Amino acid sequence: MNADVVIIGCGPAGLQAGIHSSRKKADTVIIGKLQNSALYNAHVENYFGVPGKTDGSMLLKMGLEQALSFGCRHIDLNVIRAVAEGDAFWITVESGEEIRCRSIVIATGISRMKLGIPGEKELLGKGVSYCAECDCNFFRGLKVAIIGGESKAAVSAELMTRYASEVYWVSKDISADKMLVDRAVKEGVKIVSAVPAEIKGGKNVESLLLEDGREISVDGVFIELGGKSSSDLAMDLEILPEADDSIKIDNAGRTSVAGIFACGDVTGGPYQMAKAVGEGVVSGLNAADYAKGLK
Amino acid sequence: MVTELTESTFDKFIEDNKVVVIDCWAPWCGPCRRMTPIMEELSAELSGKAGVAKLNVDDNQAISIRFGIRAIPTLLIFKEGVLVETLVGLRGKEDIIEYIETM
């Protein structure tokens, strides 16, 4: 598939960028799941012109419909890969589909990394990891569990089959695309339908306790929530994120790489819808201009 | 300057510097690549106060095993030859400096 502008992220910043990009007649594709936006489970009561408590999911659904009405296309999946090639970019989504575009808007928000269960903090670096790609080599011949239900967990589980002796993918609610799940299972990943309750260990991780009372003996626990994180995505595209994972932009929404713009929570605080949509306008308009200028 | 350590230079570097910060890293690790400019700035700011170095864990696995490293980036901080802190994950320059100054 070809597009002028690809917007990664389907929260208020990404949707607003999509609205402005498509109204500038740029062929625009928004990639991401509405429910991954921080706004989805929140209420808004401080947004200009919207009095009372307004349901975030309702705003997002209306925003998506609005973007589609201006000609945006929407892919309800996570991005698993992004790469620059000449003056274009290739984006791969979890179904394997590739989109070639002229310009990218990163509007992924802030990635939630932590699970918040006992043992997670205490055993960090002693078997608990948030980066399978970084730490896979330390678990050669060992047993590991991957926690998370989306594309990041699926990709990490498949990767770990090349290193670990056993890979358990623990999730009660797998929503990664079937293609990714099938690929992981084919490589020998064992799916455990359960909710993790506690990571146990002493000097190192020894087991993962599940809410249903089962306990899996493992040497490593990889917490891989959501889709590809904004910082990993940025690194793939040769953008160096800040130490706090935010992506620096100028007042035109431009990142350090030509053709790549960013907006919303991913650029830093305040984490407010008004700020997100404001930056979305700027990034969407400038990404559309950039893409059309290259034609 | 950030000194690149190996298994053969590791112990002497710790011996020669009163305070040592070692970034254990690998080239395929995204957060490790993000540590590189932070370590360079740290090296300049701590010049004369601490030895700042990095160690490729892939090429020097004996050190990884010796210190039980199972995640990267990991910062090893030594004072007078003794390991006093292991910091796991990406850290900002100010965090590291603050840690060393209050050590």
Side-chain angles (χ1 to χ4, degrees), chain A:
Chain A
M1 185 196 286
N2 282 298
D4 292 326
V5 177
V6 162
I7 294 162
I8 306 174
C10 203
L15 291 170
Q16 190 73 64
I19 288 167
H20 279 76
S21 170
S22 52
R23 279 174 65 89
K24 270 232 161 183
K25 306 293 176 208
D27 182 12
T28 304
V29 176
I30 302 174
I31 305 173
K33 301 177 181 184
L34 285 184
Q35 61 270 30
N36 281 354
S37 166
L39 182 61
Y40 196 82
N41 294 311
H43 287 90
V44 176
E45 54 185 358
N46 62 355
Y47 188 76
F48 168 79
V50 184
K53 262 193 169 182
T54 305
D55 183 54
S57 65
M58 188 190 77
L59 281 172
L60 287 167
K61 284 172 192 161
M62 289 195 303
L64 178 58
E65 273 177 36
Q66 206 179 352
L68 296 177
S69 76
F70 291 124
C72 278
R73 286 174 284 168
H74 176 225
I75 300 176
D76 190 17
L77 292 171
N78 287 329
V79 167
I80 56 169
R81 186 170 176 265
V83 66
E85 190 187 88
D87 60 3
F89 303 98
W90 285 95
I91 312 287
T92 310
V93 295
E94 52 187 309
S95 61
E97 186 177 2
E98 292 184 316
I99 302 108
R100 184 179 182 276
C101 62
R102 295 285 194 183
S103 180
I104 294 176
V105 177
I106 301 175
T108 46
I110 302 169
S111 309
R112 181 184 152 231
M113 281 176 65
K114 293 187 169 55
L115 198 60
I117 60 171
E120 179 180 356
K121 195 175 161 193
E122 297 79 0
L123 291 163
L124 175 64
K126 299 172 182 170
V128 172
S129 167
Y130 296 98
C131 180
E133 201 178 60
C134 305
D135 301 333
C136 49
N137 210 24
F138 298 115
F139 294 87
R140 281 186 187 275
L142 301 178
K143 294 178 186 173
V144 300
I146 312 292
I147 298 175
E150 294 188 48
S151 56
K152 199 172 165 200
V155 170
S156 300
E158 189 196 342
L159 170 74
M160 286 311 297
T161 60
R162 290 178 231 153
Y163 298 87
S165 61
E166 297 278 351
V167 180
Y168 302 100
W169 179 3
V170 180
S171 174
K172 190 81 177 166
D173 181 26
I174 290 180
S175 61
D177 189 78
K178 190 176 177 302
M179 196 275 287
L180 280 187
V181 179
D182 290 348
R183 223 163 67 181
V185 171
K186 197 176 156 214
E187 293 301 321
V189 171
K190 295 185 175 77
I191 293 177
V192 179
S193 179
V195 177
E198 183 181 351
I199 303 165
K200 296 170 83 173
K203 196 177 165 218
N204 287 310
V205 166
E206 289 164 11
S207 66
L208 178 67
L209 183 65
L210 307 174
E211 272 189 7
D212 58 18
R214 283 180 290 168
E215 193 166 345
I216 315 171
S217 169
V218 287
D219 307 288
V221 175
F222 289 84
I223 298 165
E224 303 281 1
L225 308 179
K228 196 175 179 69
S229 72
S230 57
S231 50
D232 287 344
L233 193 63
M235 292 289 286
D236 280 2
L237 293 163
E238 308 294 334
I239 298 166
L240 193 66
E242 302 298 297
D244 66 357
D245 284 346
S246 65
I247 295 173
K248 206 182 256 183
I249 54 167
D250 66 9
N251 60 9
R254 289 180 289 228
T255 66
S256 57
V257 174
I260 305 180
F261 300 78
C263 54
D265 288 357
V266 74
T267 69
Y271 303 123
Q272 294 290 320
M273 188 170 85
K275 181 257 190 191
V277 297
E279 286 185 356
V281 172
V282 176
S283 286
L285 292 174
N286 289 326
D289 280 349
Y290 183 91
K292 291 200 291 181
L294 277 182
K295 273 181 182 168

